[in-house]
Amino acid sequence: MIRSHKYVFVPFCLLAQGVRASGIVKHYASVVTPVVELLIEHKVNIIQMRCPELVFDFFNRRPCGKPKYDTEENHRICRKVAMESIWFMEMLLKNGKSIEVIIGVDFSPSCAVKRLTGNRPGSYQGGQGIFIEELKELMRQKGFHIPFVGIQIYHIDETIKELRLLLEGGSYGKSGLGAHKKTDG
Ligand code: SF4
């Protein structure tokens, strides 16, 4: 058996839907199966990032928009949580491993990559969650350019298509820090 040197960073709830806000888990009871199956199929090592909302707000929190989390205290928590992943990324890249993608969760006030919940029911607007903002800023400072994909739980087929393209389109990080092919910004 040859072990894989490819890695992906995933949100905590990809493997534990039980930590999400009350009432929003409707599709997957525990693991987001189609995404995890895709990652297994592509033989990537899965690194689970810590859930920033659990640190800020614990269990049994109500779903809410980004403004509630847009506080100085929460930015500090998110930066601290992001730094744990940054430390791991740096170690991997320095040791010649590749990081294929960082996965977030669209519509989450913390982990959204491209889409946030809008003001009207069922609407959405462009934007990122607080944790992803802090993570990207730290990555920018370090010169890490790794693509991001936001899971859309309600349109999982689109997510799978996007992830498959990335996973089959080549690796990021093999040539060292700051020398990757493209970035999500
Ligand atoms: S904060 Fe992120 S990891 Fe935690 S439950 Fe929300 S989307 Fe998942």
Side-chain angles (χ1 to χ4, degrees):
M1 172 68 66
I2 300 169
R3 68 184 158 147
S4 167
H5 294 289
K6 296 191 287 187
Y7 289 77
V8 295
F9 282 70
V10 303
F12 195 89
C13 63
L14 182 84
L15 307 175
Q17 288 284 287
V19 305
R20 300 199 73 193
S22 309
I24 59 172
V25 170
K26 297 202 167 60
H27 288 63
Y28 306 99
S30 57
V31 168
V32 182
T33 330
V35 175
V36 174
E37 282 173 351
L38 183 77
L39 299 179
I40 292 170
E41 180 192 326
H42 287 81
K43 297 185 172 54
V44 288
N45 296 284
I46 301 172
I47 307 295
Q48 200 176 14
M49 299 184 284
R50 202 144 62 102
C51 169
E53 284 181 23
L54 270 189
V55 183
F56 182 72
D57 227 4
F58 313 108
F59 277 102
N60 302 322
R61 60 192 184 280
R62 306 290 314 154
C64 60
K66 186 173 172 182
K68 178 186 166 189
Y69 288 98
D70 203 1
T71 66
E72 213 170 291
E73 186 199 354
N74 189 44
H75 274 274
R76 201 170 46 246
I77 288 171
C78 288
R79 211 170 307 132
K80 195 162 164 243
V81 172
M83 279 173 75
E84 296 166 8
S85 298
I86 292 286
W87 172 84
F88 210 154
M89 284 174 200
E90 189 160 34
M91 188 175 67
L92 291 172
L93 295 173
K94 276 185 176 160
N95 283 283
K97 317 296 183 195
S98 67
I99 303 173
E100 309 292 301
V101 61
I102 297 169
I103 298 176
V105 181
D106 275 347
F107 309 108
S108 157
S110 307
C111 297
V113 172
K114 278 190 194 148
R115 303 167 185 85
L116 288 166
T117 307
N119 296 328
R120 282 175 289 107
S123 68
Y124 74 86
Q125 60 196 41
Q128 302 179 133
I130 309 280
F131 173 69
I132 296 295
E133 282 174 0
E134 293 292 344
L135 183 62
K136 283 190 173 181
E137 174 54 23
L138 291 171
M139 288 173 65
R140 189 192 64 73
Q141 290 170 16
K142 291 276 184 185
F144 299 169
H145 302 286
I146 300 164
F148 279 76
V149 168
I151 294 175
Q152 295 183 71
I153 294 278
Y154 299 111
H155 299 285
I156 206 71
D157 288 353
E158 281 179 33
T159 305
I160 295 296
K161 212 155 77 183
E162 204 178 343
L163 278 172
R164 190 178 281 285
L165 264 176
L166 269 173
L167 293 170
E168 292 173 5
S171 301
Y172 295 78
K174 279 187 178 137
S175 32
L177 299 176
H180 317 297
K181 284 194 266 182
K182 79 172 198 192
T183 178
D184 187 50

